Amino acid sequence: MPPSATMSPTPGADEPIPLFDPRRQYQRLQTEIDARVAAVLAHGAYVNGPEIAELEDALCRSTGATACVACANGTDALVMSLLAHGIGPGDAVFVPAFTYVATAGAVRLAGATPVFCDVLEATANLDPTDLDRQAARVRKSGTLRLRAVLPVDLYGLPADYAGVQSVADDHDLLVIADAAQSMGAAREGVAVGALAPTTTVSFFPTKPLGCAGDGGAILTSDGALAERLRLLRTHGTDASRTAVALGMNNRLDTLQAAILLAKLPHLTTERAHREQLAQRYDDLLAKAVEPAPRDPGCTSAWALYTLRSERRDAIQQALSDQQIGAGVYYHAPVHLHPAYQAFGDGPGSLPVSERLAARVLSLPLTAEMTEAQVTRVAQAVCAAVAG
Ligand SMILES: Cc1ncc(COP(=O)(O)O)c(C=O)c1O
């Protein structure tokens, strides 16, 4: 049963099952969210209100990070992290090819050069061995300074941070975790936010911790970095409003912080419910498709349940015919998107990423879903595969 299911109406057997529906979470948490929003509207500090620092403190407490800087979205969190580390033109930043384009886009926005690496078949996350190979290749070419690597926790499953850190140490690379999809996850008992020296997150509405619009944050163990990020976030101005650095305006709205404060206490219960539903998908789908990736040392945030099948397109069509939402994340690896082709070596160069892009399909997996709904989706998948 979903968390606090008594507050949400039980969906009927033939009702559409959307891939995401943030309204259902709002219905479940409406009392707490409305109270938080009303408090902001009443106190009037719509920018830099007290909820910003309250959220930053709460995120540090829940993740084990020592500092947190809230910002406008997950893309800005990445760009700010790169800029605050002084990364820019002439610098190589290693990114997995199988991710949302924002990871590589942030590197370009900072003026640096993305270098694409392949991912592991088992987890769909950055392959440390390929990172080592690509870093050695860039070093040998002598054209770029090796500066950073951005592992991504795809679908909510933390990357292999120990493996990545070890290769990063060999090549003198900073590790900046792109945890846009993995708030609430952990690896070997260490929460996302404390798995890398710097971690960026997104609060896009469909993420494990989502607001009612755009939002993001940077979590770090480096207090000096947090200070530089705070300057960047507000036009480079210090407490006396003197511009001491070049900066932007990429603050999180107080209203979004307030909504996140209402949702954060529910993150653990919601994740646990999605985990249960994911287990049910595994059980029901085992004979029909390759189930969602897992990693024995990890607690996934279960942002998405992503199966793999040669019959992906037929399954998606069959689900759509039955008003069940499903999505392809992602239909092409980033090095094959027109805007990034100049930074890669074209088709065939990163085979695991390319194979995954042709086979993945994400099924509905929200904290509001019931086991009966998961059963209905799984049965539709199995029928599509059999047909
Ligand atoms: C892996 C990854 N990185 C970065 C982002 C960018 O986050 P935002 O949409 O908040 O800018 C996303 C958002 O989908 C993402 O999935």
Side-chain angles (χ1 to χ4, degrees):
M1 189 173 276
S4 316
T6 46
M7 291 178 60
S8 42
T10 308
D14 297 328
E15 239 179 59
I17 304 178
L19 182 56
F20 302 111
D21 189 356
R23 291 170 307 176
R24 287 195 195 274
Q25 188 199 30
Y26 172 58
Q27 284 158 12
R28 183 164 52 78
L29 305 178
Q30 184 167 5
T31 313
E32 290 139 278
I33 293 173
D34 285 359
R36 279 285 190 176
V37 167
V40 175
L41 293 175
H43 71 49
Y46 302 147
V47 174
N48 281 339
E51 286 80 3
I52 298 293
E54 189 184 345
L55 175 69
E56 291 173 342
D57 288 348
L59 289 171
C60 285
R61 276 198 307 279
S62 70
T63 60
T66 50
C68 174
V69 179
C71 65
N73 55 64
T75 309
D76 281 358
L78 285 165
V79 176
M80 290 164 68
S81 298
L82 293 165
L83 295 178
H85 279 109
I87 292 171
D91 292 340
V93 178
F94 298 85
V95 296
F98 197 53
T99 177
Y100 185 48
V101 289
T103 315
V107 176
R108 290 296 299 134
L109 288 167
T113 302
V115 180
F116 295 107
C117 303
D118 216 343
V119 296
L120 294 162
E121 186 93 47
T123 60
N125 280 333
L126 183 68
D127 178 354
T129 307
D130 200 50
L131 170 64
D132 188 38
R133 200 175 300 133
Q134 303 291 350
R137 185 178 60 80
V138 173
R139 185 179 298 287
K140 198 168 163 204
S141 78
T143 49
L144 297 166
R145 284 183 300 271
L146 280 73
R147 292 301 308 281
V149 53
L150 308 184
V152 175
D153 302 341
L154 206 69
Y155 310 137
L157 186 68
D160 173 7
Y161 285 98
V164 168
Q165 189 66 58
S166 155
V167 176
D169 289 345
D170 289 347
H171 293 282
D172 215 8
L173 296 170
L174 296 160
V175 178
I176 302 171
D178 179 349
Q181 305 181 6
S182 62
M183 266 306 287
R187 184 168 196 108
E188 317 289 352
V190 179
V192 161
L195 282 165
T198 308
T199 299
T200 66
V201 296
S202 166
F203 301 129
F204 187 81
T206 56
K207 301 292 193 238
L209 179 63
C211 56
D214 281 306
I218 304 118
L219 295 151
T220 179
S221 52
D222 179 343
L225 178 79
E227 282 317 305
R228 292 200 295 282
L229 289 166
R230 286 183 206 287
L231 283 178
L232 267 175
R233 178 174 70 173
T234 320
H235 308 288
T237 53
D238 64 13
S240 67
R241 301 194 176 201
T242 305
V244 295
L246 184 61
M248 300 168 277
N249 170 5
N250 29 35
R251 297 176 289 241
L252 179 70
D253 290 339
T254 311
L255 277 169
Q256 300 298 355
I259 291 169
L260 291 165
L261 279 164
K263 291 189 180 185
L264 184 58
H266 301 276
L267 185 64
T268 305
T269 329
E270 292 177 347
R271 193 214 67 79
H273 182 68
R274 288 196 300 273
E275 168 103 48
Q276 257 181 18
L277 298 181
Q279 186 59 56
R280 182 148 187 85
Y281 271 135
D282 278 2
D283 296 343
L284 296 173
L285 293 174
K287 291 201 182 103
V289 297
E290 247 181 89
R294 285 169 182 272
D295 193 328
C298 290
T299 307
S300 177
W302 290 110
L304 289 166
Y305 185 94
T306 305
L307 60 77
R308 300 168 189 185
S309 170
E310 306 302 329
R311 295 185 49 77
R312 184 266 305 281
D313 294 340
I315 298 170
Q316 188 173 19
Q317 186 58 55
L319 293 178
S320 164
D321 292 345
Q322 295 173 57
Q323 300 196 69
I324 297 171
V328 175
Y329 301 92
Y330 298 93
H331 72 276
V334 186
H335 69 291
L336 300 185
H337 282 256
Y340 297 96
Q341 278 167 7
F343 302 98
D345 291 324
S349 58
L350 297 167
V352 181
S353 299
E354 293 169 36
R355 218 166 31 243
L356 285 173
R359 302 178 68 232
V360 291
L361 183 68
S362 299
L363 304 179
L365 179 68
T366 68
E368 290 69 42
M369 281 180 77
T370 61
E371 297 228 336
Q373 286 179 307
V374 167
T375 305
R376 192 178 136 210
V377 177
Q379 283 169 347
V381 171
C382 292
V385 172

